[in-house]
């Protein structure tokens, strides 16, 4: 269906047309461009870049949204997938007069997927830019910066951090629109054990190869314990050093444990090397990847003979949003806006929901005639996505209801976005299978199956 961005905004928002981005839907990599002009602020560290959204200017009266993600290095694709959605939403909020008469501006903080760089970027966003809220960071750097953000009372809505370290640390200032790796790990284990979800077989013997960084280790225990809970046997659970030139010995050790399938929790680059080493060594079992590798970037670097029938994990599209046509309209809108070849980039829909929730929280604070302080904004985040209030599916729709004095329940593209006490959501998963260089859906796992 061909639909331009403005038509999408009218359909999803009425008078105050506005959009945003969220989720782990689809398997895109990270070639998207922002579609906005950005101006690099050369002072200080952390790679801060200010983006004027629509009518915004970036002056001291702006409400500032920090986007704290990698924009350089191996994980630059994450920032490239998230930023255009944030910019699209901010531009349209500003076109409609902003929030309480104040414009929004976007300030980038480049974490470089490095803890040290993420600290510098966070300090700049908090202490120099004085942001009112943050979109991000990823699991790679969350542990390095969460205390700084919370201590400075900065509201955070992350569309990218599934790390289990947040399972019992969010809910006051930190929220996420992506499922925890605790749930993702159970989804991998359940899908591997049940042919209904993977379309191939009921795997009984599983090996794990896990990179020795937090972003990868977060999945290890949920996969291992859940697979055993579901009646399977874990033949080996190996920690591997990231960034090696060759993984032949590790692959041989994995093969010696005689698994039917190996869950590979590593970067795209290391995963390409590992699966190629398995192919060269004659590995006859299958592979199961997390969402970091379940994208086109991984398949484009791999020989189809290596990856055919490989399984992968993604967040599934939310059925009510799909049935209502909201997903297709969003993908068309962001594709046009960002100049992407497709709209279903990894973390795109999660970002849509994250930015909508943050914007609605700002709108609620304004409607309450309160100051735009961290505690007030953070306190409003769960209230704008809380049933059984009036259901809304966009910022514009929610803003109109809030203006009328109605409490709202934002329902997104990845799910209902009902935050629990720890700031977490529950969303469905999509099990992918690789075939001739493309990921297709093998099955869907609803939360109740876990």
């Amino acid at each position: 269906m061909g639909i331009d961005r403005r038509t999408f905004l009218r359909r999803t928002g009425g008078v105050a047309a506005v959009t945003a981005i969220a989720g782990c839907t689809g398997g895109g990599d990270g070639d998207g461009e922002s579609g906005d002009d950005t101006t690099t602020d050369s002072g200080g560290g952390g790679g801060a870049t200010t983006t004027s959204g629509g009518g915004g200017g970036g002056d001291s009266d702006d409400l500032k949204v920090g986007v704290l993600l990698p924009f350089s290095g191996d994980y630059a694709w994450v920032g490239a997938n998230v930023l255009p959605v944030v910019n699209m939403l901010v531009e349209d909020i500003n076109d409609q007069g902003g929030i309480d008469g104040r414009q929004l501006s976007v300030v980038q903080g480049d974490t470089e997927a490095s803890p040290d760089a993420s600290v510098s970027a966070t300090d700049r966003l908090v202490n120099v830019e004085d942001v009112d809220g943050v979109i991000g960071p990823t699991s790679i750097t969350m542990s390095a910066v969460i205390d700084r953000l919370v201590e400075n009372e900065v509201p955070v809505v992350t569309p990218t951090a599934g790390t289990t370290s947040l399972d019992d640390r969010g809910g006051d200032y930190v929220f996420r629109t992506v499922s925890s790796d605790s749930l993702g790990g159970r989804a991998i284990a359940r899908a591997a054990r049940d042919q209904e979800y993977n379309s191939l077989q009921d795997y009984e013997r599983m090996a794990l190869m896990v990179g020795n960084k937090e972003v990868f280790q977060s999945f290890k225990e949920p996969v291992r314990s859940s697979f055993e809970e579901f009646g399977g046997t874990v033949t080996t659970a190996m920690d591997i050093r990231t960034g090696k030139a060759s993984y032949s010995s590790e692959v041989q050790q994995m093969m010696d444990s005689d698994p039917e399938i190996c869950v590979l929790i590593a970067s795209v680059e290391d995963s390409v090397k590992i699966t190629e080493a398995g192919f060269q060594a004659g590995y006859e079992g299958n592979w199961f990847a997390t969402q970091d590798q379940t994208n086109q970037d991984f398949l484009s670097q791999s020989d189809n003979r290596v990856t055919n029938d490989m399984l992968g994990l993604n967040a599934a599209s939310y059925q009510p949003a799909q049935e209502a046509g909201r997903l297709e309209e969003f993908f068309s809108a962001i594709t046009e806006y960002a100049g992407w070849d497709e709209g279903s980039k990894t973390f795109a829909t999660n970002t849509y929901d994250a930015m909508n929730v943050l914007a609605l929280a700002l709108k609620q604070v304004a409607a309450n005639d309160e100051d735009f302080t961290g505690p007030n904004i953070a306190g409003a985040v769960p209230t704008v996505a809380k049933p059984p209030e009036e259901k809304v599916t966009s910022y514009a729709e929610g803003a109109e209801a809030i203006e009328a004095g109605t409490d709202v329940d934002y329902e997104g593209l990845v799910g209902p976005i009902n935050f629990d006490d720890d700031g977490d959501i529950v969303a469905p998963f999509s099990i992918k299978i690789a075939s001739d260089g493309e990921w297709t859906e093998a099955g869907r796992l609803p939360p109740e199956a876990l």
Side-chain angles (χ1 to χ4, degrees):
M1 176 178 70
I3 180 169
D4 64 26
R5 179 172 62 91
R6 293 294 176 185
T7 302
F8 168 67
L9 298 176
R10 289 196 300 272
R11 289 187 181 179
T12 57
V15 178
V18 149
T19 48
I21 180 173
C24 304
T25 303
D29 49 11
D31 298 327
E33 297 177 0
S34 71
D36 279 329
D37 293 329
T38 59
T39 303
T40 301
D41 186 340
S42 59
T49 301
T50 302
T51 303
S52 60
D59 63 34
S60 60
D61 291 330
D62 284 358
L63 293 169
K64 294 184 178 181
V65 177
V67 181
L68 185 62
L69 291 169
F71 292 97
S72 59
D74 291 342
Y75 285 86
W77 62 268
V78 179
N81 285 5
V82 168
L83 184 62
V85 186
V86 174
N87 283 343
M88 185 173 76
L89 176 58
V90 165
E91 177 183 303
D92 286 285
I93 293 175
N94 289 340
D95 284 350
Q96 298 301 318
I99 295 176
D100 197 32
R102 296 175 67 173
Q103 297 282 279
L104 292 182
S105 61
V106 179
V107 186
Q108 292 174 241
D110 186 2
T111 68
E112 303 174 24
S114 158
D116 289 342
S118 71
V119 169
S120 297
T122 300
D123 286 346
R124 180 166 185 79
L125 292 183
V126 171
N127 299 320
V128 178
E129 299 292 345
D130 194 24
V131 296
D132 295 284
V134 163
I135 299 295
T138 66
S139 295
I140 303 170
T141 57
M142 178 63 81
S143 292
V145 301
I146 184 172
D147 288 339
R148 274 176 161 76
L149 292 166
V150 171
E151 288 167 5
N152 285 280
E153 300 180 332
V154 179
V156 175
V157 187
T158 175
T160 55
T163 175
T164 57
S165 66
L166 280 185
D167 284 0
D168 56 4
R169 296 195 65 187
D172 293 325
Y173 285 93
V174 182
F175 306 86
R176 52 183 169 183
T177 57
V178 62
S179 294
S180 168
D181 291 344
S182 295
L183 200 61
R186 287 184 67 82
I188 289 175
R190 180 62 189 272
R193 285 288 294 133
D194 197 332
Q195 185 178 355
E196 175 186 354
Y197 300 116
N198 67 51
S199 78
L200 297 174
Q201 70 178 75
D202 298 333
Y203 293 98
E204 297 183 359
R205 294 173 56 78
M206 170 188 286
L208 287 90
M209 298 183 71
V210 188
N212 61 348
K213 293 183 178 180
E214 179 186 339
V215 63
F216 308 126
Q217 290 288 314
S218 180
F219 264 104
K220 182 180 178 181
E221 182 56 26
V223 174
R224 187 200 64 76
S225 60
S226 298
F227 193 72
E228 292 177 343
E229 177 186 336
F230 296 139
T233 298
V234 176
T235 62
T236 185
M238 301 170 51
D239 291 343
I240 58 174
R241 184 163 58 86
T242 60
K244 290 186 63 177
S246 171
Y247 290 94
S248 297
S249 61
E250 290 88 345
V251 167
Q252 188 59 59
Q253 182 181 341
M254 178 273 292
M255 291 171 58
D256 288 345
S257 71
D258 193 28
E260 296 171 313
I261 192 167
C262 178
V263 175
L264 182 54
I265 309 172
S267 68
V268 166
E269 292 74 14
D270 288 345
S271 297
V272 171
K273 298 173 189 174
I274 291 168
T275 52
E276 176 65 25
F279 181 77
Q280 296 295 336
Y283 174 53
E284 296 181 353
N286 203 357
W287 301 96
F288 204 134
T290 68
Q291 54 261 51
D292 274 2
Q293 310 104 302
T294 310
N295 52 48
Q296 202 57 41
D297 186 32
F298 170 72
L299 293 183
S300 68
Q301 296 183 46
S302 304
D303 189 312
N304 291 350
R305 296 174 299 170
V306 177
T307 58
N308 274 344
D309 288 338
M310 182 175 181
L311 299 171
L313 179 75
N314 264 173
S317 55
Y318 182 44
Q319 190 169 357
Q322 187 170 13
E323 292 174 350
R326 292 192 289 121
L327 274 169
E328 186 176 2
E329 291 179 350
F330 165 71
F331 292 150
S332 295
I334 189 59
T335 298
E336 177 196 18
Y337 178 83
W340 290 345
D341 58 353
E342 60 167 337
S344 56
K345 301 273 188 181
T346 303
F347 300 128
T349 51
N350 302 86
T351 307
Y352 178 88
D353 291 343
M355 189 60 218
N356 269 332
V357 165
L358 182 57
L360 286 172
L362 291 167
K363 181 66 177 178
Q364 187 66 65
V365 170
N368 294 345
D369 198 24
E370 297 175 336
D371 293 333
F372 289 108
T373 64
N376 287 342
I377 298 167
V381 167
T383 69
V384 298
K386 183 179 181 179
E389 312 301 346
E390 181 176 327
K391 188 176 295 183
V392 299
T393 58
S394 69
Y395 170 83
E397 188 181 2
E400 185 176 8
I402 290 170
E403 285 275 5
T406 302
D407 294 330
V408 299
D409 172 20
Y410 174 74
E411 184 175 88
L413 297 183
V414 300
I417 317 300
N418 298 332
F419 297 111
D420 65 16
D421 290 343
D422 296 312
D424 289 336
I425 66 165
V426 175
F429 291 94
S430 174
I431 307 305
K432 303 289 188 178
I433 187 168
S435 177
D436 296 328
E438 300 288 341
W439 292 106
T440 59
E441 189 166 84
R444 291 194 175 195
L445 260 174
E448 55 268 24
L450 300 175

